[in-house]
Amino acid sequence: NAGVTQTPKFQVLKTGQSMTLQCAQDMNHEYMSWYRQDPGMGLRLIHYSVGAGITDQGEVPNGYNVSRSTTEDFPLRLLSAAPSQTSVYFCASNRLILQGAGEAFFGQGTRLTVV
Amino acid sequence: LAKTTQPISMDSYEGQEVNITCSHNNIATNDYITWYQQFPSQGPRFIIQGYKTKVTNEVASLFIPADRKSSTLSLPRVSLSDTAVYYCLVGEGNFNKFYFGSGTKLNVKP
């Protein structure tokens, strides 16, 4: 199994440009989420989804949109890129469970630079 | 979000046992404790999860005292490849409820 696949791995954008970060999982997980990680920091939740057609905001949602039309895919859209969005973006998927965080599977990340 | 407190960094040498402690004074009755590991330029990876007493798997042990206000991740005989950031998460239910924090950066020296 491929697990969680993120594309692209690297991206440079100019301020004001828009783009979509792709995330796909092949484990039939209900739950998917997007995080950003700034240098030397922990992960911060941007948006998440508990199933197709259902999305919600996390800790830092401003400037980002998501949709979940299928179980497998959860793209993250940057509406108008800003230098403050320079970061590494991680997508994760896991089964919905009630006991603790459980085992989430993360992608390899997309390193985004906005100039 | 249930928050945790961990040391910012720790140093160790190859072959030693490493214990990383996490403080979670406000842990709720139904909360579980979960640890993740992150290598540079990679996404976090699940290590272990527990509720009370001791849990052991092939890579680590998790010790949780009776009051559950703290927990200790134990890595036996670390190697250079264990150099990573370790995150302690506390909570229950959906993954969006978990706070990663800054983690503990473990540096294993030869």
Side-chain angles (χ1 to χ4, degrees):
Chain A
N1 286 341
V4 178
T5 302
Q6 290 184 236
T7 56
K9 288 185 172 51
F10 302 93
Q11 182 70 48
V12 178
L13 287 179
K14 293 182 179 180
T15 297
Q17 286 185 318
S18 63
M19 80 159 293
T20 299
L21 278 62
Q22 301 291 342
C23 177
Q25 54 97 1
D26 61 1
M27 297 170 283
N28 201 32
H29 287 164
E30 305 91 343
Y31 189 93
M32 297 185 74
S33 51
W34 276 101
Y35 289 84
R36 61 176 288 173
Q37 185 171 35
D38 299 328
M41 306 288 286
L43 281 73
R44 291 187 292 169
L45 182 64
I46 305 172
H47 285 286
Y48 66 95
S49 169
V50 298
I54 305 170
T55 64
D56 206 344
Q57 297 181 351
E59 181 185 0
V60 289
N62 292 339
Y64 308 94
N65 274 356
V66 291
S67 60
R68 184 96 178 270
S69 58
T70 67
T71 298
E72 295 77 20
D73 300 301
F74 191 43
L76 177 72
R77 283 183 287 278
L78 278 71
L79 308 174
S80 177
S84 61
Q85 293 178 304
T86 294
S87 189
V88 180
Y89 292 84
F90 290 102
C91 177
S93 78
N94 55 286
R95 295 204 179 279
L96 283 176
I97 61 172
L98 296 179
Q99 296 179 345
E103 184 171 9
F105 295 84
F106 284 80
Q108 289 297 301
T110 295
R111 188 174 297 273
L112 176 69
T113 302
V114 182
V115 298
Chain B
L1 296 178
K3 296 198 174 181
T4 59
T5 303
Q6 303 175 231
I8 295 174
S9 63
M10 295 180 64
D11 289 333
S12 182
Y13 290 93
E14 281 191 293
Q16 289 187 332
E17 177 185 73
V18 171
N19 296 310
I20 305 174
T21 299
C22 178
S23 173
H24 28 81
N25 291 321
N26 296 323
I27 190 168
T29 302
N30 294 331
D31 286 348
Y32 277 67
I33 300 151
T34 311
W35 285 81
Y36 275 76
Q37 174 191 55
Q38 186 181 27
F39 297 114
S41 302
Q42 294 187 26
R45 185 178 70 172
F46 173 85
I47 302 174
I48 197 167
Q49 177 172 294
Y51 183 79
K52 61 180 179 181
T53 62
K54 176 183 175 182
V55 180
T56 298
N57 62 21
E58 62 276 9
V59 298
S61 295
L62 179 59
F63 298 92
I64 306 168
D67 66 4
R68 302 197 333 117
K69 294 184 182 299
S70 67
S71 59
T72 300
L73 175 72
S74 180
L75 305 172
R77 299 181 59 79
V78 295
S79 64
L80 296 176
S81 63
D82 292 315
T83 293
V85 177
Y86 293 82
Y87 297 95
C88 167
L89 311 181
V90 172
E92 58 147 348
N94 292 345
F95 200 58
N96 58 288
K97 297 183 180 180
F98 294 91
Y99 174 72
F100 267 89
S102 298
T104 297
K105 185 173 183 179
L106 173 65
N107 183 31
V108 180
K109 304 175 183 179

